[in-house]
Coordinates of all heavy atoms in Angstrom, one line a residue:
S1 N 0.8 -1.2 0.0 CA 0.0 0.1 0.0 C 0.9 1.3 0.0 O 2.0 1.2 0.5 CB -0.9 0.0 1.2 OG -1.5 1.2 1.3
G2 N 0.3 2.2 -0.5 CA 1.1 3.5 -0.4 C 1.0 4.2 0.9 O 1.6 5.3 1.0
E3 N 0.3 3.6 1.8 CA 0.1 4.2 3.1 C 1.1 3.8 4.1 O 0.9 4.1 5.4 CB -1.4 3.9 3.6 CG -2.5 4.3 2.7 CD -2.5 5.9 2.6 OE1 -2.2 6.6 3.6 OE2 -2.9 6.3 1.5
G4 N 2.0 3.0 3.8 CA 3.0 2.4 4.7 C 2.6 1.1 5.3 O 1.7 0.4 4.7
A5 N 3.3 0.5 6.2 CA 3.1 -0.8 6.6 C 3.2 -0.9 8.1 O 4.0 -0.2 8.6 CB 4.1 -1.7 5.8
A6 N 2.5 -1.9 8.7 CA 2.6 -2.1 10.1 C 3.5 -3.3 10.5 O 3.5 -4.2 9.7 CB 1.2 -2.3 10.7
G7 N 4.2 -3.2 11.4 CA 5.0 -4.4 11.9 C 5.3 -4.3 13.5 O 4.7 -3.5 14.1
E8 N 6.3 -5.1 13.8 CA 6.6 -5.1 15.2 C 7.3 -3.7 15.6 O 7.1 -3.2 16.6 CB 7.5 -6.3 15.5 CG 6.9 -7.6 15.4 CD 7.9 -8.7 15.3 OE1 9.1 -8.4 15.1 OE2 7.4 -10.0 15.3
G9 N 8.3 -3.4 14.8 CA 9.0 -2.2 15.1 C 10.1 -2.5 16.2 O 9.9 -3.5 17.0
P10 N 11.2 -1.9 16.2 CA 12.2 -2.1 17.3 C 11.7 -1.8 18.6 O 10.8 -0.9 18.8 CB 13.3 -1.2 16.9 CG 12.7 -0.1 16.1 CD 11.5 -0.7 15.4
G11 N 12.2 -2.4 19.7 CA 11.8 -2.1 21.0 C 12.5 -3.1 22.0 O 12.9 -4.1 21.6
G12 N 12.5 -2.8 23.3 CA 13.1 -3.6 24.2 C 14.6 -3.6 24.1 O 15.1 -2.6 23.7
I13 N 15.2 -4.7 24.6 CA 16.7 -4.9 24.5 C 17.0 -5.5 23.2 O 16.6 -6.5 22.8 CB 17.2 -5.7 25.6 CG1 16.6 -5.3 27.0 CG2 18.6 -5.9 25.6 CD1 16.8 -6.3 28.2
S14 N 17.8 -4.8 22.4 CA 18.3 -5.3 21.2 C 19.5 -6.3 21.2 O 20.5 -5.9 21.9 CB 18.7 -4.1 20.3 OG 19.1 -4.6 19.0
F15 N 19.3 -7.5 20.8 CA 20.4 -8.5 20.7 C 20.2 -9.2 19.3 O 19.4 -10.0 19.2 CB 20.2 -9.5 21.8 CG 21.4 -10.3 22.1 CD1 22.7 -9.8 22.2 CD2 21.3 -11.7 22.1 CE1 23.8 -10.6 22.4 CE2 22.3 -12.5 22.2 CZ 23.6 -11.9 22.4
T16 N 21.0 -8.9 18.4 CA 20.7 -9.3 17.1 C 21.1 -10.8 16.8 O 21.6 -11.4 17.6 CB 21.7 -8.6 16.1 OG1 23.1 -9.0 16.4 CG2 21.7 -7.0 16.3
K17 N 20.5 -11.2 15.6 CA 20.7 -12.6 15.4 C 22.1 -13.1 15.2 O 22.4 -14.2 15.7 CB 19.9 -13.0 14.1 CG 18.4 -12.7 14.1 CD 17.6 -13.2 15.3 CE 17.6 -14.7 15.4 NZ 16.9 -15.1 16.5
E18 N 22.9 -12.2 14.6 CA 24.3 -12.6 14.4 C 24.9 -12.8 15.8 O 25.8 -13.7 16.0 CB 25.0 -11.5 13.7 CG 24.7 -11.4 12.2 CD 23.5 -10.5 11.9 OE1 22.7 -10.1 12.9 OE2 23.3 -10.1 10.8
Q19 N 24.6 -11.9 16.8 CA 25.1 -12.0 18.1 C 24.6 -13.3 18.7 O 25.4 -14.0 19.6 CB 24.7 -10.7 19.0 CG 25.4 -9.5 18.5 CD 24.8 -8.2 19.2 OE1 23.6 -8.2 19.3 NE2 25.7 -7.3 19.5
Q20 N 23.4 -13.6 18.6 CA 22.8 -14.9 19.2 C 23.5 -16.1 18.6 O 23.8 -17.1 19.3 CB 21.3 -14.9 18.9 CG 20.4 -13.8 19.5 CD 19.1 -13.9 19.1 OE1 18.4 -14.9 18.7 NE2 18.4 -12.6 19.0
W21 N 23.7 -16.1 17.4 CA 24.4 -17.2 16.6 C 25.9 -17.5 17.1 O 26.3 -18.6 17.1 CB 24.4 -17.1 15.2 CG 22.9 -17.1 14.5 CD1 21.8 -17.6 15.2 CD2 22.6 -16.6 13.3 NE1 20.8 -17.4 14.4 CE2 21.1 -16.8 13.2 CE3 23.2 -16.0 12.2 CZ2 20.4 -16.4 12.0 CZ3 22.5 -15.6 11.1 CH2 21.1 -15.9 11.0
A22 N 26.5 -16.3 17.5 CA 27.9 -16.4 17.8 C 28.2 -16.9 19.2 O 29.4 -17.2 19.4 CB 28.5 -15.0 17.5
V23 N 27.1 -17.0 20.1 CA 27.4 -17.4 21.5 C 26.6 -18.6 21.8 O 25.8 -19.1 21.0 CB 27.2 -16.3 22.4 CG1 28.1 -15.1 22.1 CG2 25.7 -15.9 22.3
D24 N 26.9 -19.2 22.9 CA 26.1 -20.3 23.5 C 24.7 -19.8 23.9 O 24.7 -19.3 24.9 CB 26.8 -21.1 24.6 CG 26.0 -22.3 25.1 OD1 25.2 -22.8 24.4 OD2 26.3 -22.7 26.2
F25 N 23.7 -20.0 23.1 CA 22.4 -19.3 23.4 C 21.3 -20.2 23.1 O 21.3 -21.0 22.2 CB 22.4 -18.1 22.3 CG 21.2 -17.2 22.6 CD1 21.4 -16.2 23.7 CD2 20.1 -17.1 21.9 CE1 20.4 -15.3 23.9 CE2 19.1 -16.1 22.1 CZ 19.2 -15.2 23.1
M26 N 20.2 -20.0 23.9 CA 19.1 -21.0 23.9 C 17.9 -20.3 24.4 O 17.9 -19.6 25.4 CB 19.3 -22.3 24.7 CG 18.2 -23.2 24.4 SD 17.8 -23.7 22.8 CE 19.3 -24.6 22.3
V27 N 16.7 -20.4 23.6 CA 15.5 -19.9 24.1 C 14.5 -21.1 24.1 O 14.4 -21.8 23.2 CB 14.9 -18.8 23.1 CG1 13.5 -18.3 23.4 CG2 16.0 -17.6 23.0
R28 N 13.8 -21.1 25.3 CA 12.8 -22.2 25.4 C 11.5 -21.7 26.1 O 11.6 -20.7 26.9 CB 13.4 -23.3 26.2 CG 14.4 -24.1 25.5 CD 13.7 -25.1 24.5 NE 14.6 -26.0 23.8 CZ 15.2 -25.8 22.7 NH1 14.9 -24.6 22.1 NH2 16.1 -26.7 22.1
Q29 N 10.5 -22.2 25.9 CA 9.1 -22.0 26.5 C 9.1 -22.8 27.9 O 9.7 -23.8 28.0 CB 8.0 -22.3 25.7 CG 7.8 -21.4 24.5 CD 6.7 -21.9 23.6 OE1 6.8 -22.9 23.0 NE2 5.7 -21.0 23.5
P30 N 8.6 -22.1 28.9 CA 8.6 -22.9 30.2 C 7.9 -24.1 30.1 O 6.9 -24.3 29.2 CB 7.8 -21.9 31.1 CG 8.1 -20.5 30.5 CD 8.1 -20.7 29.0
D31 N 8.2 -25.1 30.9 CA 7.6 -26.5 30.9 C 6.5 -26.5 31.9 O 6.6 -25.9 33.0 CB 8.6 -27.5 31.1 CG 9.5 -27.6 30.0 OD1 9.2 -27.4 28.8 OD2 10.7 -28.1 30.2
K32 N 5.5 -27.4 31.8 CA 4.6 -27.8 32.9 C 5.0 -29.2 33.2 O 5.0 -30.1 32.5 CB 3.2 -27.8 32.3 CG 2.4 -26.5 32.4 CD 2.0 -26.2 33.7 CE 1.0 -25.1 33.8 NZ 0.4 -24.8 35.1
R33 N 5.5 -29.5 34.5 CA 5.9 -30.7 34.9 C 5.9 -30.8 36.4 O 5.8 -29.8 37.2 CB 7.4 -30.9 34.4 CG 8.3 -29.7 34.9 CD 9.7 -30.0 34.3 NE 10.5 -31.0 34.7 CZ 11.7 -31.3 34.3 NH1 12.3 -30.5 33.5 NH2 12.3 -32.4 34.8
A34 N 6.1 -32.0 36.9 CA 6.2 -32.2 38.3 C 7.6 -31.8 38.8 O 8.6 -31.9 38.1 CB 6.0 -33.6 38.7
V35 N 7.6 -31.1 40.0 CA 8.9 -30.6 40.5 C 9.0 -30.9 42.0 O 8.0 -31.0 42.7 CB 9.0 -29.1 40.2 CG1 7.9 -28.3 41.1 CG2 10.4 -28.6 40.7
V36 N 10.2 -31.5 42.3 CA 10.5 -31.8 43.8 C 11.6 -30.9 44.2 O 12.7 -31.0 43.6 CB 10.8 -33.3 43.8 CG1 11.1 -33.7 45.3 CG2 9.7 -34.2 43.3
E37 N 11.5 -30.4 45.3 CA 12.6 -29.6 45.8 C 13.4 -30.4 46.9 O 12.8 -31.2 47.6 CB 12.0 -28.3 46.6 CG 13.2 -27.4 47.1 CD 12.6 -26.1 47.7 OE1 11.9 -26.2 48.7 OE2 12.8 -25.0 47.1
Y38 N 14.7 -30.3 46.8 CA 15.6 -31.0 47.7 C 16.5 -30.1 48.5 O 16.7 -29.0 48.1 CB 16.5 -32.0 46.7 CG 15.8 -33.1 46.0 CD1 15.3 -32.9 44.8 CD2 15.7 -34.3 46.6 CE1 14.6 -33.8 44.1 CE2 15.1 -35.4 46.0 CZ 14.5 -35.2 44.7 OH 13.9 -36.1 44.1

């Protein structure tokens, strides 16, 4: 459209993909599981 486009836009803490790929990096969703404290 000639009216522009909507998207996420930058925000929060910036940590680029190249930086993520270069280090030991992992993102996971929290699990639902039984937990026992010791």
Side-chain angles (χ1 to χ4, degrees):
S1 170
E3 301 299 325
E8 295 165 349
I13 302 166
S14 177
F15 192 56
T16 68
K17 302 311 295 183
E18 291 89 343
Q19 293 170 323
Q20 297 172 34
W21 295 341
V23 297
D24 183 19
F25 193 74
M26 183 57 66
V27 175
R28 286 285 184 266
Q29 292 175 292
D31 291 330
K32 275 278 191 179
R33 56 188 290 184
V35 61
V36 180
E37 184 174 67
Y38 292 89

